[in-house]
Amino acid sequence: MKTKGKIFLSILLLIILAILGAGIYCYSQITPVAQDDNSIRFEVANGDSVRKIAGKLQEEGLIKNETFFYYFVRKPVLLKIFFSKDPVSDPIVLKSGIYHLHAGMNYAQLINELSSGQQEYIRVSIPEGKTITQTAEILQDAGICLVDEFKAECYDPKLLQSYNITGESAEGFLFPDTYFLTAGMTAREVVVLMIDNFFTKVQEIPGFMELEPQKMYETVILASIVEREYRVEDEAPLIASVFTNRLRQNIGLYSCATIVYILTEIENRPHPERVLLEDTKIDSPYNTYKWAGLTPGPISNPGMVALKAAANPPKTNYYFFQVADANEGRHVFTTTFDEHKASHNLSTKN
């Protein structure tokens, strides 16, 4: 009996030692890698699995054991056992985005951060007058989404229909602004954000939201041309009045900006230093030298200055405008062609 008792005690001791050893090992694996609070930029891509995230955390030196981290995420009760902390959610969901983590964080802190969604935002500024393509390139350079993905969403008929946009694309409705985006956003989410911003902003323009869809679209087209023509803010309404007067008389707009759109967006040519006479003869419905009326669609995404000018242009007798000061971007506005020629000759001499 004494021998059996010794054997039992020995086995029990071994079990206790094994459990203790396992506990010590487990504890050593889940403690912070180092007492270090130096921030590391850590990205969780859209669609990353828990196992992949765990592997990336170990590669970055933020955890010691990716397998242990994986099971802590999959079995939230472990947080309660080892850290006396209830899980942030059950099941735990690690969210895509860019985070700032450090090697001094324990599993509970890491999981809390990665599941909080409080991630780093990417600041992206879209200037007034950019096209869909140019906007897509800015977003791609910022690491948000690919050019082709963004453009595809801008041409999605179902998306356009949901906003009562009567054109073939979202051109003109991607409001130029500074956006705070995340790396995990889809192209569709970005397009929706920009269109939503457009309709929020234009609510401050008197009468704009009351326009019928087609009339609203035509106003945006006009604004997109004004946007590419004005350089000094107080001249935008006058330029809009010139175009409005010409539209009423069925006179071509003669806008160089529409020619540039044809060259760069339709023919994919480099931005010209200046518009040549031969360019004004291009056979395109966007050629306002060849055809009267508005272009089939917007040629840019206008800002508030151009939108306000196009929505409520002042009543003038102007039918022409000519650059008077290239450095300041100011124009001289005239009523007759003779006055226009005179102003052209004067500006040429100067």
Side-chain angles (χ1 to χ4, degrees), residues 53-269:
I53 295 169
K56 289 164 67 175
L57 285 168
Q58 184 170 329
E59 289 175 9
E60 293 290 342
L62 292 165
I63 59 172
K64 299 173 183 176
N65 192 306
E66 62 182 272
T67 302
F68 274 75
F69 185 85
Y70 172 83
Y71 281 109
F72 267 79
V73 175
R74 288 302 186 204
K75 304 294 182 183
V77 67
L78 293 174
L79 292 174
K80 184 71 172 178
I81 294 172
F82 285 88
F83 296 101
S84 299
K85 178 178 176 58
D86 290 321
V88 289
S89 63
D90 190 358
I92 292 171
V93 178
L94 304 184
K95 300 177 181 178
S96 62
I98 297 174
Y99 301 86
H100 290 278
L101 312 175
H102 58 84
M105 299 174 77
N106 61 36
Y107 278 16
Q109 293 169 324
L110 288 169
I111 291 171
N112 184 70
E113 186 72 15
L114 294 173
S115 59
S116 69
Q118 299 300 313
Q119 53 196 282
E120 175 189 77
Y121 287 96
I122 302 171
R123 187 177 185 271
V124 181
S125 293
I126 309 296
E128 291 89 347
K130 295 299 182 183
T131 62
I132 285 176
T133 300
Q134 293 167 332
T135 300
E137 290 170 349
I138 292 171
L139 291 166
Q140 179 170 279
D141 290 343
I144 302 299
C145 56
L146 299 176
V147 168
D148 290 343
E149 292 175 352
F150 184 82
K151 292 176 72 172
E153 295 296 344
C154 287
Y155 282 84
D156 182 0
K158 291 184 178 178
L159 179 61
L160 300 175
Q161 186 177 10
S162 69
Y163 287 99
N164 287 323
I165 296 174
T166 59
E168 295 181 354
S169 76
E171 191 83 89
F173 293 85
L174 304 174
F175 194 80
D177 207 343
T178 296
Y179 293 90
F180 294 89
L181 311 173
T182 64
M185 294 184 73
T186 64
R188 191 177 192 86
E189 288 173 333
V190 179
V191 173
V192 167
L193 178 65
M194 297 181 76
I195 297 177
D196 283 345
N197 193 22
F198 172 91
F199 283 104
T200 297
K201 298 289 187 181
V202 296
Q203 289 180 22
E204 66 182 73
I205 301 176
F208 193 94
M209 293 301 293
E210 285 71 49
L211 295 173
E212 293 293 325
Q214 184 57 31
K215 181 60 178 175
M216 180 183 291
Y217 190 60
E218 292 170 359
T219 302
V220 173
I221 294 174
L222 177 57
S224 76
I225 300 173
V226 172
E227 181 64 62
R228 295 291 293 270
E229 289 283 1
Y230 91 89
R231 284 178 56 190
V232 182
E233 184 175 329
D234 61 19
E235 290 189 352
L238 296 178
I239 292 174
S241 77
V242 169
F243 288 147
T244 301
N245 289 339
R246 295 176 77 88
L247 288 170
R248 286 172 181 161
Q249 297 298 323
N250 200 33
I251 303 172
L253 300 185
Y254 279 47
S255 167
C256 290
T258 63
I259 304 300
V260 173
Y261 181 83
I262 296 170
L263 297 175
T264 59
E265 294 297 314
I266 298 177
E267 298 188 352
N268 296 314
R269 289 158 61 179

Side-chain angles (χ1 to χ4, degrees), residues 32-40 62 100-105 109:
V33 173
Q35 296 301 316
D36 184 0
D37 59 1
N38 290 324
S39 178
I40 295 175
L62 292 165
H100 290 278
L101 312 175
H102 58 84
M105 299 174 77
Q109 293 169 324

Side-chain angles (χ1 to χ4, degrees), residues 12-24:
L12 182 61
L13 181 60
L14 288 173
I15 292 173
I16 292 172
L17 289 173
I19 293 173
L20 183 61
I24 293 172

